[in-house]
Amino acid sequence: MPKSDELTRKKLFKYLSEDELKNKLFKCLQGKRYLVVLDGIWRTQFWYEVRSAFPDNSNGSRILITTHIEKMASLANLTPLYHLPALNKDESWELFSKKVFPGGSCPTNLETLGRQILESCKGLPLSIVVLAGILANKENKYKTWANFNSHVYGNCNKQIRELCYFQLPRNMKPCLLYLCVFPKGFEIPVRLLIKLWVAEGFIQHPRNIDPEDVAEDYLEKLIDQGWVQVASRRTDGGAKTCRIHDLVQELCIQRSVVDKFLEVLFSFASTSTTSRRVSLQGPIEPYDRPQNIFEPFDMLQNIFEPFDMLQNTPHFDMLQNTPHFDMLQTTPNFDMHQYTIDNEPYVMHQYTPDTTCVRSLFFFNQDTYGLGPKQWKWVHENFKLGRVLNLGQAHLYSIPTVITKLIHLRYLGIESDALKAIPSSIGKLINLETLNMKGTFLNCLPTEIWKLRCLRNLYVSGPVSLPNDLDPDAEALCNLQVLSTVSPKPQSSLRMNNVRNLGLWFASDESNSEVVDVLKSLHHLHHLQTLKIINCCEYRCLSVSLPSTLTKITLRLVRLKVRRDMRMLGELPNLQILKLQSCLLSKLHVFAGSFPQLQVLKLEN
């Protein structure tokens, strides 16, 4: 299947409901013999939610489930369970040695002590990898290892992970804990993570070094020590997405709650919190749900009937699971809204949580209803000192002007494809560093955005038109490092002297001369490293020389004059990655001595 078709299908799947996805999967597997692997399942409810998607074709199809919870495996399994054995001593030592001494071997005077340290890991690969990551960054001296062993020996795996956490440098601990803001199993985009770390103020850097570069170094160290796993890589070999092991996430969540660093909630109003950061991983509906979820209970406000009558209400089963059920059985008159039903999709709360201490708020859901006026009022009143607001894919048509009261925001993320406009008052967010609107389909941005003097990163799905009367002295242009993807005009005057990553999407009716004029204006961008050009069907597109600082170029739907354009691209002295996606060219000409630094050439469609 062509990659463009595959990407289109992935985007379509993204917006399907769970029932639609299950129906599609069922139809795809119907009549076929299949093997499906469900890796790292933690909730028994998950199996009940997905099993209807797998047809029983009576032809030897199998579903393989891996889990740390034996009860989970027992519920879903009709055959004897297979308990994965721990690594034996030799296997443990082999894994440990590869991590501590890559490409080498352990000094003989350390082997006995090293094997003694490994005994505390009980053959669990994750503990071995984390432990090895710590020792790999210590001196290979007997005294150093013996001192470390005195703290580790005899501890169980959980304590080992905690000990290794406390061995981390102080500036890297919040970076690790921050990863549990994402849901379990979530593939975290590395560039997003780095921007969030910077916005939170975690990155300590000298004035002459870019904070994103230091943050990337932090991440590499966490990967090397086994805390973070690389999920996918970029074409240049760097980490594109990452994740953390479920056991590491469990440790991070526990530490975050103890330190009041972060709390994960499953309802918009499920509880009050004293944590600095909140990750909402459930529905957003308690305030503005279309129907009244209290309706079955409203009659209980002045109840005098026997309690047995409650058994006829549709929510009686949920009510039985509440911690106050026994009290309700003996109380003739009560206020139902005082009580909560926790861990259910809709938690009934009459009060608003006290979250004035919250500095970062994340939404991880694809909620149908999105944020209504009451939720925005809540954000405005309880999040005035917020630094990071990630609305995710919460369904939004517009952003109310109350958001401009959040003047301390450094990161604002909106991924709703329903968003139609950004208010001009967004120019009041004077501390905003990153505006991430990937996934939106806006046609234009208010000119006030270009007055944000702290703005460093602006992401839009494109093509967003730049204003014709863009002031070349606009404050945002001085600090902007990422601008992707926009539809420029020659009048826009791309004078963003510090931009490092630029995405350009030309309109179909763009004239040849206009395209050339825009590309000519790039020549003064002395820090430009990454350039993406989309939808350029004129032969003269690349007739002008591009900045010699470029290390990566992506051309999509670009018409190339093979010999001239390939010669021009080949003369770029620092170009390492060249991607040609659905470009109009009959053949490829490469000249001797061209592309001196090229490492990756990717041709698609």
Side-chain angles (χ1 to χ4, degrees):
M1 179 190 299
K3 188 154 185 180
S4 61
D5 294 343
E6 183 181 348
L7 290 173
T8 301
R9 289 184 62 181
K10 284 183 178 180
K11 289 180 179 178
L12 290 175
F13 289 156
K14 182 179 179 181
Y15 300 107
L16 294 179
S17 67
E18 289 186 8
D19 288 338
E20 289 171 330
L21 282 171
K22 285 191 283 188
N23 289 335
K24 277 190 172 291
L25 180 58
F26 186 91
K27 290 177 182 178
C28 178
L29 298 178
Q30 184 67 51
K32 298 177 182 176
R33 188 180 184 193
Y34 59 84
L35 170 65
V36 173
V37 180
L38 303 177
D39 185 35
I41 307 303
W42 280 73
R43 295 185 303 114
T44 55
Q45 184 63 25
F46 175 81
W47 170 246
Y48 295 123
E49 292 170 356
V50 302
R51 64 180 178 179
S52 62
F54 305 113
D56 185 0
N57 299 320
S58 301
N59 59 358
S61 295
R62 292 290 184 268
I63 299 174
L64 176 63
I65 295 175
T66 67
T67 179
H68 293 277
I69 304 171
E70 187 168 339
K71 180 183 177 183
M72 167 67 231
S74 301
L75 287 173
N77 198 43
L78 299 178
T79 58
L81 302 182
Y82 176 73
H83 294 272
L84 190 66
L87 301 181
N88 61 35
K89 290 184 178 181
D90 290 336
E91 291 169 335
S92 298
W93 178 251
E94 181 181 0
L95 176 60
F96 176 82
S97 299
K98 285 181 179 179
K99 294 293 181 181
V100 181
F101 310 103
S105 57
C106 177
T108 53
N109 66 317
L110 293 178
E111 183 170 348
T112 302
L113 183 56
R115 288 182 179 273
Q116 187 179 355
I117 293 173
L118 273 182
E119 289 180 10
S120 297
C121 294
K122 310 294 184 185
L124 185 66
L126 177 63
S127 294
I128 295 171
V129 169
V130 171
L131 201 67
I134 298 296
L135 285 173
N137 289 279
K138 291 184 178 292
E139 291 182 301
N140 292 331
K141 294 183 178 180
Y142 188 90
K143 183 178 180 180
T144 303
W145 281 37
N147 181 55
F148 185 75
N149 183 45
S150 65
H151 296 288
V152 172
Y153 190 72
N155 287 335
C156 67
N157 282 298
K158 182 178 178 181
Q159 291 171 314
I160 288 174
R161 291 193 294 273
E162 289 178 347
L163 176 64
C164 292
Y165 166 76
F166 287 115
Q167 293 280 329
L168 283 172
R170 180 179 297 179
N171 57 345
M172 290 178 63
K173 287 177 182 175
C175 295
L176 176 62
L177 294 183
Y178 201 77
L179 292 169
C180 70
V181 78
F182 300 95
K184 280 186 178 179
F186 191 90
E187 283 200 15
I188 307 166
V190 166
R191 286 174 181 165
L192 167 64
L193 180 63
I194 285 174
K195 299 295 186 293
L196 290 170
W197 281 353
V198 172
E200 293 280 4
F202 296 158
I203 308 303
Q204 302 172 7
H205 63 97
R207 283 189 175 183
N208 59 336
I209 297 181
D210 195 84
E212 279 83 0
D213 294 337
V214 178
E216 197 161 349
D217 183 54
Y218 281 16
L219 181 61
E220 286 299 325
K221 288 179 180 177
L222 290 173
I223 291 172
D224 291 343
Q225 294 185 22
W227 291 106
V228 179
Q229 302 169 344
V230 177
S232 63
R233 293 192 177 274
R234 304 191 301 262
T235 47
D236 63 356
K240 182 178 182 179
T241 60
C242 64
R243 65 165 73 94
I244 54 175
H245 194 282
D246 289 343
L247 295 177
V248 173
Q249 183 155 28
E250 183 182 332
L251 168 67
C252 290
I253 290 175
Q254 291 171 351
R255 289 304 321 168
S256 294
V257 172
V258 171
D259 298 339
K260 298 183 179 179
F261 178 84
L262 183 146
E263 191 168 352
V264 177
L265 303 179
F266 295 94
S267 169
F268 191 86
S270 61
T271 184
S272 60
T273 179
T274 56
S275 294
R276 288 282 183 173
R277 296 161 190 88
V278 169
S279 176
L280 179 67
Q281 299 176 13
I284 318 176
E285 299 144 312
Y287 293 113
D288 287 332
R289 195 175 170 210
Q291 65 238 27
N292 178 14
I293 64 172
F294 299 110
E295 190 172 359
F297 303 106
D298 284 343
M299 62 179 181
L300 302 177
Q301 292 300 320
N302 297 296
I303 188 167
F304 294 100
E305 293 85 348
F307 186 81
D308 292 343
M309 290 185 63
L310 282 174
Q311 297 182 18
N312 298 321
T313 63
H315 287 67
F316 184 76
D317 289 339
M318 283 202 302
L319 190 61
Q320 284 181 302
N321 296 323
T322 68
H324 304 291
F325 182 76
D326 293 336
M327 183 187 300
L328 296 179
Q329 287 180 297
T330 59
T331 304
N333 198 352
F334 59 92
D335 181 2
M336 177 61 67
H337 294 81
Q338 293 178 10
Y339 301 100
T340 63
I341 299 177
D342 295 315
N343 302 320
E344 291 293 339
Y346 305 109
V347 181
M348 299 187 294
H349 287 265
Q350 189 67 4
Y351 62 89
T352 301
D354 176 18
T355 53
T356 53
C357 61
V358 174
R359 298 295 179 267
S360 302
L361 182 59
F362 295 82
F363 292 85
F364 288 100
N365 52 64
Q366 298 185 27
D367 197 277
T368 305
Y369 305 109
L371 274 71
K374 290 184 180 178
Q375 283 90 3
W376 278 115
K377 182 181 179 183
W378 178 89
V379 170
H380 171 227
E381 293 178 350
N382 297 279
F383 195 58
K384 292 179 180 179
L385 301 178
R387 296 167 63 101
V388 173
L389 177 59
N390 183 27
L391 297 169
Q393 296 177 4
H395 201 71
L396 300 173
Y397 288 102
S398 62
I399 301 175
T401 54
V402 297
I403 201 172
T404 61
K405 304 293 185 181
L406 310 179
I407 60 172
H408 299 284
L409 272 187
R410 284 165 171 75
Y411 178 96
L412 176 59
I414 309 167
E415 300 176 35
S416 172
D417 60 349
L419 188 67
K420 303 300 181 184
I422 298 289
S424 59
S425 54
I426 197 170
K428 295 180 181 179
L429 299 180
I430 57 175
N431 292 299
L432 194 64
E433 296 176 354
T434 298
L435 179 56
N436 184 0
M437 295 187 293
K438 285 184 177 180
T440 62
F441 296 96
L442 299 172
N443 294 321
C444 61
L445 298 175
T447 56
E448 285 76 10
I449 281 182
W450 309 108
K451 298 176 183 178
L452 297 172
R453 55 185 172 84
C454 294
L455 191 65
R456 294 167 56 88
N457 310 288
L458 177 57
Y459 295 97
V460 289
S461 293
V464 173
S465 299
L466 290 180
N468 292 336
D469 57 348
L470 186 60
D471 184 357
D473 297 322
E475 293 182 80
L477 304 186
C478 301
N479 295 313
L480 204 62
Q481 295 195 3
V482 176
L483 178 60
S484 181
T485 305
V486 295
S487 180
K489 297 285 185 182
Q491 307 95 294
S492 302
S493 183
L494 293 172
R495 298 181 184 178
M496 305 159 190
N497 295 330
N498 291 308
V499 72
R500 298 168 60 174
N501 186 327
L502 180 62
L504 303 176
W505 189 324
F506 292 101
S508 300
D509 58 352
E510 206 91 56
S511 71
N512 203 333
S513 60
E514 287 180 324
V515 172
V516 171
D517 288 343
V518 169
L519 294 180
K520 278 183 179 179
S521 70
L522 304 182
H523 200 68
H524 70 282
L525 303 180
H526 303 301
H527 299 282
L528 189 62
Q529 297 177 3
T530 301
L531 176 64
K532 179 185 290 185
I533 299 175
I534 302 174
N535 196 36
C536 186
C537 297
E538 297 292 343
Y539 268 131
R540 291 186 59 202
C541 171
L542 297 180
S543 60
V544 297
S545 60
L546 297 174
S548 61
T549 53
L550 283 167
T551 59
K552 178 180 178 181
I553 294 178
T554 300
L555 304 177
R556 184 185 303 165
L557 296 172
V558 173
R559 191 173 186 179
L560 298 173
K561 194 170 184 179
V562 179
R563 296 179 65 86
R564 182 201 66 197
D565 293 343
M566 292 305 294
R567 183 185 294 276
M568 188 277 296
L569 292 170
E571 290 174 352
L572 294 172
N574 298 299
L575 188 64
Q576 299 176 15
I577 300 171
L578 176 60
K579 293 183 179 181
L580 304 179
Q581 301 171 339
S582 303
C583 290
L584 303 176
L585 73 165
S586 55
K587 51 188 174 180
L588 202 62
H589 279 279
V590 180
F591 302 92
S594 61
F595 299 103
Q597 299 293 328
L598 194 68
Q599 299 176 14
V600 177
L601 173 62
K602 195 168 185 179
L603 307 177
E604 298 179 12
N605 299 332

